[in-house]
Amino acid sequence: MTFVTEETGPAGLPIRITSLTKRYLPEERGDRPVLNGVSLSVDAGEWVILMGDSGSGKSTLLNLLAGVDRPDSGTIEIGNVPVSDLSESERTLFRRTRMGFVFQFFNLFPTLTAWENIVLPLRLNGRHDSGPARRLLEEVELAGKEHRYPSELSGGEQQRVALARALVHGPSIILADEPTGSLDHRTGHVILTLLSKLHQERQPTIVMATHSQDASRYGQRIFHVRDGEILDNPAGRP
Ligand SMILES: Nc1ncnc2c1ncn2[C@@H]1O[C@H](COP(=O)(O)OP(=O)(O)OP(=O)(O)O)[C@@H](O)[C@H]1O
Ligand SMILES: [Mg+2]
């Protein structure tokens, strides 16, 4: 199975999640599953928000979407690809070519410079070009700091590197798990404004978990997660 990437990337792909169930501890049959029959659909290029208490299952859902973990039952389709049915190596390939990630604690490689972090997704996809990385470096306003290591950058700068890295290979899907959770309010706003601009330009589909009402306003629809279930919220606004 091949997943083609182009410099600008394909437009975002739709996501269809059906009746997803996940338990971490299969022996505890009596317990409620961590995800208990989650169904939701996200349009191509849409930016949706997952909100809910700590432990409600947001990161679990993102991990299943990323294919780093598998559901016990239910299906995930991204575009026309049944991601939940792929083998581990196919899921890894899909993730590497089609997805970008942004995390609360940035998750940059500490022994790589900002530039090396940003070009990494291109290299992992066998690409030797650097144009997209150079453009994104400018867009996140880090030109001149590309030779610094993550430890030599502020939190906001590290998250800007992470945004560039998440988008450089033209992914169809961005998964963001509390991307402003460790930043102060102003810096968080800068990051989300930048993500918003990049979203408008490149139109990836974004699924973002956040505890912040402010951050949730950047998305187009909000899904409320409670005890492993999505609450009915047809209007998508609290
Ligand atoms: N690897 C794991 N093994 C066992 N239980 C886990 C594992 N990961 C998460 N859980 C449990 O699953 C539930 C949901 O966790 P999850 O991390 O998805 O919540 P969350 O909504 O992301 O919370 P937060 O807002 O604190 O990040 C919690 O009860 C958690 O303890
Ligand atoms: Mg979480």
Side-chain angles (χ1 to χ4, degrees):
M1 186 172 299
T2 56
F3 307 111
V4 179
T5 48
E6 297 150 19
E7 178 171 316
T8 49
L13 290 171
I15 301 172
R16 185 190 299 272
I17 296 172
T18 311
S19 305
L20 217 55
T21 302
K22 174 71 184 171
R23 283 176 205 272
Y24 286 103
L25 306 167
E27 67 276 16
E28 294 183 13
R29 285 277 165 223
D31 281 2
R32 242 181 124 74
V34 167
L35 291 183
N36 192 12
V38 167
S39 298
L40 69 93
S41 292
V42 183
D43 294 336
E46 194 179 13
W47 182 345
V48 301
I49 305 291
L50 303 176
M51 289 196 90
D53 290 345
S54 182
S56 57
K58 305 179 296 297
S59 296
T60 300
L61 182 53
L62 288 173
N63 287 337
L64 295 180
L65 274 173
V68 293
D69 210 350
R70 295 194 83 163
D72 296 337
S73 60
T75 56
I76 300 172
E77 262 181 71
I78 298 181
N80 55 4
V81 178
V83 183
S84 46
D85 291 345
L86 298 180
S87 68
E88 188 164 345
S89 59
E90 287 172 329
R91 278 185 282 139
T92 301
L93 184 60
F94 189 85
R95 180 163 59 242
R96 186 188 294 159
T97 53
R98 289 304 188 92
M99 293 186 172
F101 300 91
V102 190
F103 302 95
Q104 178 174 1
F105 296 110
F106 324 135
N107 288 25
L108 300 174
F109 290 97
T111 58
L112 300 183
T113 63
W115 175 256
E116 290 165 342
N117 269 283
I118 295 171
V119 296
L120 191 63
L122 295 176
R123 303 296 176 256
L124 287 174
N125 283 305
R127 289 173 54 174
H128 302 289
D129 56 326
S130 296
R134 207 163 294 120
R135 278 189 284 286
L136 272 159
L137 186 75
E138 299 280 343
E139 284 188 85
V140 301
E141 296 177 14
L142 283 175
K145 295 190 175 175
E146 63 268 37
H147 300 302
R148 296 205 194 172
Y149 289 91
S151 61
E152 299 168 333
L153 296 168
S154 71
E157 288 170 341
Q158 289 182 62
Q159 198 60 308
R160 275 145 59 194
V161 173
L163 286 187
R165 184 181 63 175
L167 285 149
V168 72
H169 54 307
S172 313
I173 309 281
I174 300 284
L175 301 178
D177 199 352
E178 300 190 41
T180 59
S182 63
L183 300 173
D184 64 62
H185 183 266
R186 195 192 62 80
T187 311
H189 179 71
V190 169
I191 291 296
L192 289 169
T193 303
L194 193 51
L195 181 56
S196 197
K197 176 171 160 276
L198 296 169
H199 175 245
Q200 269 178 19
E201 288 168 5
R202 292 169 170 77
Q203 292 290 308
T205 305
I206 302 181
V207 183
M208 179 173 101
T210 182
H211 285 281
S212 155
Q213 287 286 347
D214 283 343
S216 75
R217 295 197 178 92
Y218 286 81
Q220 290 149 343
R221 271 194 301 160
I222 300 177
F223 292 99
H224 292 277
V225 187
R226 186 187 293 164
D227 295 337
E229 297 182 8
I230 303 270
L231 303 183
D232 269 349
N233 189 17
R237 285 278 156 198

Short mmCIF file of all heavy atoms in Angstrom, two decimals, residues 24-25 34 52-61 177-178 211, ligand 1:
data_model
loop_
_atom_site.label_atom_id
_atom_site.label_comp_id
_atom_site.label_asym_id
_atom_site.label_seq_id
_atom_site.Cartn_x
_atom_site.Cartn_y
_atom_site.Cartn_z
N TYR A 24 -7.95 -0.65 28.41
CA TYR A 24 -6.51 -0.92 28.54
C TYR A 24 -6.26 -2.23 29.26
O TYR A 24 -5.25 -2.87 29.04
CB TYR A 24 -5.82 0.22 29.28
CG TYR A 24 -5.67 1.46 28.43
CD1 TYR A 24 -6.50 2.56 28.61
CD2 TYR A 24 -4.70 1.52 27.43
CE1 TYR A 24 -6.37 3.69 27.83
CE2 TYR A 24 -4.57 2.65 26.63
CZ TYR A 24 -5.40 3.73 26.84
OH TYR A 24 -5.29 4.84 26.06
N LEU A 25 -7.17 -2.58 30.16
CA LEU A 25 -6.95 -3.77 30.99
C LEU A 25 -8.06 -4.77 30.72
O LEU A 25 -9.11 -4.74 31.33
CB LEU A 25 -6.95 -3.38 32.48
CG LEU A 25 -5.96 -2.25 32.84
CD1 LEU A 25 -6.23 -1.71 34.24
CD2 LEU A 25 -4.52 -2.76 32.75
N VAL A 34 -12.58 2.55 28.63
CA VAL A 34 -12.05 3.93 28.59
C VAL A 34 -12.72 4.71 27.45
O VAL A 34 -13.02 5.89 27.58
CB VAL A 34 -10.52 3.89 28.44
CG1 VAL A 34 -9.96 5.24 28.08
CG2 VAL A 34 -9.88 3.36 29.71
N GLY A 52 -13.03 17.86 27.58
CA GLY A 52 -13.57 16.95 28.59
C GLY A 52 -12.61 16.85 29.75
O GLY A 52 -11.44 17.21 29.64
N ASP A 53 -13.13 16.33 30.87
CA ASP A 53 -12.32 16.25 32.08
C ASP A 53 -11.09 15.38 31.86
O ASP A 53 -11.06 14.54 30.96
CB ASP A 53 -13.16 15.62 33.20
CG ASP A 53 -14.25 16.57 33.66
OD1 ASP A 53 -14.17 17.76 33.32
OD2 ASP A 53 -15.17 16.08 34.35
N SER A 54 -10.14 15.58 32.74
CA SER A 54 -8.97 14.72 32.77
C SER A 54 -9.43 13.27 32.94
O SER A 54 -10.28 12.99 33.78
CB SER A 54 -8.10 15.15 33.96
OG SER A 54 -6.94 14.38 33.98
N GLY A 55 -8.89 12.38 32.11
CA GLY A 55 -9.26 10.97 32.21
C GLY A 55 -10.49 10.60 31.41
O GLY A 55 -10.92 9.44 31.42
N SER A 56 -11.08 11.56 30.69
CA SER A 56 -12.32 11.24 29.96
C SER A 56 -12.05 10.44 28.69
O SER A 56 -12.98 9.84 28.14
CB SER A 56 -13.08 12.53 29.63
OG SER A 56 -12.28 13.42 28.88
N GLY A 57 -10.80 10.43 28.21
CA GLY A 57 -10.48 9.58 27.05
C GLY A 57 -10.00 10.32 25.82
O GLY A 57 -9.86 9.72 24.75
N LYS A 58 -9.68 11.60 25.94
CA LYS A 58 -9.29 12.40 24.77
C LYS A 58 -7.98 11.89 24.15
O LYS A 58 -7.90 11.69 22.94
CB LYS A 58 -9.13 13.88 25.16
CG LYS A 58 -10.36 14.47 25.83
CD LYS A 58 -10.16 15.91 26.21
CE LYS A 58 -9.10 16.17 27.27
NZ LYS A 58 -9.38 15.55 28.59
N SER A 59 -6.97 11.69 25.00
CA SER A 59 -5.68 11.24 24.46
C SER A 59 -5.79 9.82 23.91
O SER A 59 -5.16 9.48 22.90
CB SER A 59 -4.59 11.30 25.53
OG SER A 59 -4.37 12.63 25.94
N THR A 60 -6.61 9.01 24.57
CA THR A 60 -6.82 7.65 24.08
C THR A 60 -7.40 7.69 22.67
O THR A 60 -6.94 6.98 21.77
CB THR A 60 -7.78 6.90 25.03
OG1 THR A 60 -7.19 6.85 26.33
CG2 THR A 60 -8.08 5.50 24.54
N LEU A 61 -8.38 8.55 22.46
CA LEU A 61 -9.00 8.68 21.14
C LEU A 61 -7.97 9.16 20.11
O LEU A 61 -7.89 8.64 18.99
CB LEU A 61 -10.20 9.63 21.23
CG LEU A 61 -11.00 9.88 19.97
CD1 LEU A 61 -11.47 8.57 19.34
CD2 LEU A 61 -12.21 10.76 20.26
N ASP A 177 -2.62 17.33 20.86
CA ASP A 177 -3.05 16.97 22.20
C ASP A 177 -2.61 18.05 23.17
O ASP A 177 -1.44 18.12 23.54
CB ASP A 177 -2.45 15.61 22.59
CG ASP A 177 -3.22 14.96 23.74
OD1 ASP A 177 -4.09 15.63 24.33
OD2 ASP A 177 -2.92 13.79 24.04
N GLU A 178 -3.53 18.92 23.54
CA GLU A 178 -3.25 20.05 24.42
C GLU A 178 -2.02 20.84 23.99
O GLU A 178 -1.07 21.00 24.77
CB GLU A 178 -3.09 19.56 25.86
CG GLU A 178 -4.35 18.87 26.36
CD GLU A 178 -4.30 18.58 27.84
OE1 GLU A 178 -3.82 19.46 28.57
OE2 GLU A 178 -4.73 17.50 28.24
N HIS A 211 -8.14 21.70 27.20
CA HIS A 211 -8.93 22.04 28.38
C HIS A 211 -9.35 23.50 28.35
O HIS A 211 -10.09 23.96 29.21
CB HIS A 211 -8.10 21.82 29.66
CG HIS A 211 -7.94 20.39 30.01
ND1 HIS A 211 -8.92 19.67 30.63
CD2 HIS A 211 -6.92 19.53 29.83
CE1 HIS A 211 -8.51 18.42 30.82
NE2 HIS A 211 -7.29 18.32 30.34
N1 LIG B 1 -1.66 3.05 28.91
C1 LIG B 1 -2.69 3.03 29.77
N2 LIG B 1 -2.93 1.97 30.56
C2 LIG B 1 -3.98 1.92 31.40
N3 LIG B 1 -4.87 2.92 31.54
C3 LIG B 1 -4.69 4.01 30.79
C4 LIG B 1 -3.60 4.13 29.87
N4 LIG B 1 -3.68 5.34 29.26
C5 LIG B 1 -4.76 5.94 29.78
N5 LIG B 1 -5.36 5.16 30.68
C6 LIG B 1 -6.60 5.48 31.42
O1 LIG B 1 -7.61 5.76 30.48
C7 LIG B 1 -8.41 6.83 30.89
C8 LIG B 1 -8.43 7.92 29.85
O2 LIG B 1 -7.13 8.49 29.76
P1 LIG B 1 -6.76 9.60 28.71
O3 LIG B 1 -5.29 9.82 28.80
O4 LIG B 1 -7.30 9.21 27.39
O5 LIG B 1 -7.57 10.85 29.27
P2 LIG B 1 -7.55 12.38 28.81
O6 LIG B 1 -8.96 12.76 28.53
O7 LIG B 1 -6.55 12.58 27.74
O8 LIG B 1 -7.07 13.11 30.15
P3 LIG B 1 -6.18 14.46 30.33
O9 LIG B 1 -7.12 15.60 30.10
O10 LIG B 1 -5.73 14.37 31.76
O11 LIG B 1 -5.03 14.41 29.38
C9 LIG B 1 -7.87 7.27 32.25
O12 LIG B 1 -8.64 6.65 33.25
C10 LIG B 1 -6.46 6.73 32.25
O13 LIG B 1 -6.03 6.43 33.56
#
